Amino acid sequence: MIPKTIKKLVVANWKMHGNLKQNAALLNDFVATLANLKHTQVVVCAPYPYLAQLQSALQHSDIAWGAQNLAKNEIGPYTGEVSAGMLRDFGATYVIVGHSERATAYCESDENIAQKFMVAKKHGITPILCVGETLIEREAGVMEMVVSKQLDAIINAYGAAVFANTVISYEPIWAIGTGLAATPEQAKSMHRFIRNKIAALNSEAANQLKILYGGSVNPQNALQLCIVENIDGGLIGRCSLNAQDFESICYAAEKAAA
Ligand code: 13P
């Protein structure tokens, strides 16, 4: 459950980066520098083996932590998978679901992603559902159709009410790791579309939903993006691996929330 006083959410997605030593340095810096945020929740999502490290470094701070994926099943003979219950054992309260880097490389279907979203919720972990279109889809003007279909996989299976107290991250694939972020206008239009789509089905869920933007967010563009209506924060890749950059983005979100 995201507290009502929290207006913005900034999530670090470390992807497959880091080691014990580098993580410790980053986490110590985050804890020391981000202690005064009042309206912004910071979350760090690291590779599974570092969850215990996140727990011990962050448990006495306001920074939350989570994973970048989870199994759609709860228990059983699924070699190499990690369940929601296991994430809970290490205090994880957020999990990224359906990131395009996984969906593409490991052929994750929208239906699998929907199941993961629900299993996270069932275990009290806030899912961060990633949606977004490719460059070809944007150039063809079908980006809303693409995102709509990704949302429909969840809506058709479980109803729109399940989006209450969850997070959707709009991550245009062409903006991820390219240095070419969506413009505030492009993001504004898609975020409005997402909010309206959920609101048309369940206005309460739409109000209780955070919609993040992800894709080449940096200290220079963070404020511009975070002040846009319906942008509730960011999902940060590359710049979350640099303490100063990440902290500037968190402070930009805090400024936008004030
Ligand atoms: P970059 O911030 O490196 O573009 O990555 C975005 C992303 O994929 C966050 O999940």
Side-chain angles (χ1 to χ4, degrees):
M1 193 88 154
I2 306 161
K4 284 214 167 25
T5 49
I6 294 299
K7 295 187 183 143
K8 301 285 182 191
L9 192 63
V10 180
V11 182
N13 176 9
W14 283 356
K15 307 189 179 182
M16 201 175 72
H17 293 285
N19 57 49
L20 285 173
K21 196 168 161 215
Q22 282 172 10
N23 300 350
L26 270 180
L27 294 169
N28 287 341
D29 208 309
F30 291 173
V31 169
T33 312
L34 299 174
N36 297 323
L37 300 177
K38 291 197 167 45
H39 308 295
T40 306
Q41 174 71 60
V42 177
V43 182
V44 180
C45 292
Y48 293 137
Y50 301 121
L51 282 174
Q53 185 185 24
L54 294 180
Q55 185 173 35
S56 78
L58 301 176
Q59 62 189 339
H60 301 299
S61 77
D62 288 331
I63 302 174
W65 61 93
Q68 302 168 11
N69 182 38
L70 82 169
K72 67 177 180 178
N73 301 102
E74 292 184 69
I75 191 166
Y78 304 105
T79 304
E81 290 291 273
V82 174
S83 72
M86 294 170 189
L87 299 184
R88 281 307 303 233
D89 266 350
F90 290 92
T93 49
Y94 288 83
V95 65
I96 297 171
V97 174
H99 193 286
S100 59
E101 286 160 4
R102 292 195 55 79
T104 314
Y106 308 106
C107 304
E108 279 205 81
S109 66
D110 286 346
E111 288 66 31
N112 269 10
I113 293 166
Q115 276 177 277
K116 290 180 176 190
F117 182 94
M118 286 311 289
V119 86
K121 277 206 86 167
K122 182 176 170 195
H123 286 263
I125 301 176
T126 304
I128 302 169
L129 173 75
C130 298
V131 296
E133 79 286 356
T134 62
L135 185 59
I136 292 173
E137 289 162 342
R138 174 155 287 266
E139 285 174 350
V142 296
M143 56 275 183
E144 290 184 353
M145 227 171 72
V146 170
V147 168
S148 196
K149 182 173 166 282
Q150 291 165 343
L151 297 175
D152 280 340
I154 291 181
I155 295 168
N156 293 341
Y158 308 106
V162 298
F163 282 107
N165 289 304
T166 68
V167 181
I168 293 175
S169 186
Y170 171 52
E171 300 211 309
I173 294 170
W174 48 271
I176 296 177
T178 58
L180 184 76
T183 63
E185 292 69 31
Q186 287 171 323
K188 182 178 183 176
S189 157
M190 183 61 84
H191 282 235
R192 189 200 303 121
F193 173 77
I194 294 170
R195 182 93 64 200
N196 287 349
K197 180 175 168 84
I198 308 293
L201 299 163
N202 189 313
S203 58
E204 209 174 315
N207 287 336
Q208 293 167 354
L209 164 71
K210 294 260 181 269
I211 309 177
L212 309 184
Y213 168 77
S216 297
V217 177
N218 60 40
Q220 289 71 45
N221 62 21
L223 182 60
Q224 263 185 307
L225 286 161
C226 282
I227 56 173
V228 170
E229 197 183 356
N230 287 315
I231 297 190
D232 302 314
L235 181 53
I236 319 299
R238 188 176 49 82
C239 285
S240 69
L241 297 165
N242 175 297
Q244 263 191 339
D245 285 352
F246 186 64
E247 290 153 11
S248 307
I249 293 168
C250 294
Y251 275 94
E254 179 78 357
K255 193 169 173 190

